[in-house]
Structures are given as C-alpha cells and as structure tokens.
Amino acid sequence: MVFRYCFVASGLIAFLAFGCSGETNSSKENTTQVVQENNVTQLFIEEAKASQKAEDFFDQGNNLLDGQRYEDAIKAYDKAIAIKTESPEAWINRGISLKSLQRHKDALASYDTAIAIQPNKYEAWYNRGIALTSLQRYKDAIASYDKAIAIQPKKYEALINRGIALTKLHRYKDSIASYDRAIAIKKDLHQAYYNKACSYALQSNLKLAIENLDKAIKLVPDKYKKLAKTDPDFSKVRSEKQFRELLQ
C-alpha cells in the first residue's frame, strides 16, 4: 500500500511540474484537474494510513498471542480486520487465539474466512485441520491436511497431524504411511517416530512399537520416556518386559 501511495505521489509531482513549465495562465479546466489529482493523492494517503494502522493492530495481536493473552489478541485482530477485512493472516491468527481458548468452532469459522479470501493459504488449511481434530471431525481434518500438503508438500507438520487423525479413525496403516512421509522429509523427526510407536502399540505390535519408540527416545530422551509411561496408546504393551526396560 505504501508503494502505491509513493507511485501516485511521484506521478502527481511530475504532472504539476509539467503544468508549471508549459502553462503560465491557469484555466478552470486545469484547476479542476489539479484538484482531482490532489483528491486522488489524499485518498491514497488515507488508505496508506489505514493500512499502517491495520498492520499495527495485527502486530499488537501477534505480541499478545505470543504472551498468551488470547482474549486481548482477539480484540486486536478484530480491530485490524475492521480496517482491512481481506487479511487472511489476521483471520488465521485470530483463529489460533480462539483455538487456544478451546473455542474450536469459532476458530474454524475464522479459518474458513481466511480460506475464502485466499484459498491457497497453507496456514489456514493446516490450522483448520487442528480445529477439526479438536472437534473430533477426523475425516474433515484429514481433508484439510491434504489441502495443506497439496499446497506445501514439504511441510512435515501437516503429515504428522494427518497421521494422528488417521490413528483416531483406527486407520493405522495409513497413519504410519503419513508418518513415514514426514520422516522422508526430516530424518530426525522424533514426533513422527513416537507417533509411529503409538500406532504399532495400538495394534499390539510390540517389536515395531519398541523399535520406533527407541528412535524417539534417542532423539529426545527425557520427554519420551516420561510420556510413554502414562500414554494410553501403549496400554496393550506396557506390561511387556522389553517395553519396561526401554523406559528405565
């Protein structure tokens, strides 16, 4: 918006310089034209100021979101959106704030608005998938993650979350395939190894559950040893000696 304003202002200055050197007597027609050009310039100035104000509210919202002040963040994003309605980023971050307050349906509506503005926005589809997973709408969540992955195939986060949604539907083979796709992008992806272990444990496949859990633990020992001790996904294999030894 600032670039457009600068471009128009430069054009106006060039026009006035030409007028001053080429015409010594001002006519009514020329005066009207100059007034119209000044009005256009003023309009762009006001638009630039409004755009800057919207950006300021957006930045304020981001700072509040980082500070976990979600209600205040939403208010800031609402102010940004009131000035600049067609801002997918403000709608997305507003949705993240709503999701953080467990207002998943409202968050979903916010992401849908962002998608209506910019259909190929990866972050909107990705976060929409998270909201749908929280609402236990797993099939719809998978469809959202598929959209996100189609836009940015190398984003392993969407593949991991897609795997989680597939696991919730007991589609373990597909969930493992999704985790494997994520690992193909990033070899040391501890979250994917841990989730693979969960999928295998839910199928009572002790060997592969331990194999993948061991990989996750080697990457982040304290986190996954502690988590696996209470994670209900491992209830079918928790009593096994090999599993208990791994967590010692």
Side-chain angles (χ1 to χ4, degrees):
M1 203 59 166
V2 173
F3 177 76
R4 282 188 65 194
Y5 159 63
C6 289
F7 177 79
V8 172
S10 298
L12 178 58
I13 291 167
F15 170 80
L16 290 175
F18 177 80
C20 290
S21 62
E23 294 288 342
T24 55
N25 297 320
S26 297
S27 65
K28 183 177 180 181
E29 181 180 348
N30 287 340
T31 300
T32 302
Q33 190 171 3
V34 170
V35 169
Q36 288 174 341
E37 290 289 344
N38 283 335
N39 288 342
V40 170
T41 301
Q42 186 60 36
L43 177 62
F44 278 114
I45 291 171
E46 290 173 1
E47 287 181 353
K49 287 180 179 178
S51 181
Q52 183 60 54
K53 195 171 183 181
E55 187 174 339
D56 290 343
F57 281 128
F58 177 72
D59 290 340
Q60 182 184 353
N62 290 346
N63 290 331
L64 290 164
L65 178 58
D66 287 340
Q68 299 182 2
R69 294 172 57 186
Y70 304 121
E71 294 282 5
D72 292 332
I74 292 164
K75 290 175 184 177
Y77 292 130
D78 283 343
K79 288 177 182 178
I81 290 163
I83 298 167
K84 190 178 179 182
T85 309
E86 302 291 301
S87 173
E89 294 81 8
W91 284 107
I92 290 166
N93 286 5
R94 180 178 184 271
I96 292 169
S97 300
L98 288 162
K99 191 267 178 191
S100 299
L101 293 170
Q102 307 300 312
R103 294 170 57 184
H104 304 301
K105 288 183 179 180
D106 292 332
L108 183 61
S110 206
Y111 301 137
D112 283 342
T113 302
I115 290 165
I117 296 167
Q118 190 172 338
N120 64 339
K121 194 72 173 173
Y122 167 85
E123 295 83 356
W125 286 109
Y126 173 77
N127 285 296
R128 186 176 187 270
I130 293 172
L132 288 163
T133 300
S134 298
L135 292 167
Q136 299 182 2
R137 292 172 54 185
Y138 302 121
K139 288 183 179 179
D140 292 332
I142 293 163
S144 277
Y145 291 131
D146 284 343
K147 288 278 191 181
I149 293 161
I151 295 165
Q152 293 198 29
K154 296 298 182 181
K155 288 285 189 177
Y156 57 81
E157 297 89 347
L159 286 162
I160 291 174
N161 285 4
R162 180 178 180 272
I164 292 169
L166 286 161
T167 300
K168 294 292 185 181
L169 294 173
H170 307 292
R171 293 171 56 184
Y172 302 121
K173 183 179 179 180
D174 292 331
S175 72
I176 290 164
S178 199
Y179 299 136
D180 282 341
R181 286 174 63 189
I183 291 166
I185 296 168
K186 188 173 173 23
K187 298 297 182 184
D188 60 346
L189 203 54
H190 51 87
Q191 303 96 324
Y193 287 119
Y194 181 82
N195 287 331
K196 274 185 73 177
C198 290
S199 293
Y200 282 121
L202 288 164
Q203 299 175 81
S204 300
N205 189 329
L206 177 64
K207 180 184 176 182
L208 291 177
I210 288 175
E211 180 182 308
N212 283 277
L213 181 57
D214 183 49
K215 289 178 181 179
I217 288 171
K218 283 178 178 176
L219 291 165
V220 189
D222 294 339
K223 176 180 178 179
Y224 291 116
K225 278 189 176 183
K226 182 179 178 180
L227 191 58
K229 286 178 181 178
T230 57
D231 193 329
D233 286 351
F234 292 107
S235 60
K236 292 182 179 180
V237 298
R238 184 165 285 115
S239 61
E240 298 290 340
K241 181 182 177 182
Q242 290 172 275
F243 184 83
R244 287 187 281 108
E245 287 176 348
L246 180 61
L247 301 184
Q248 288 178 357

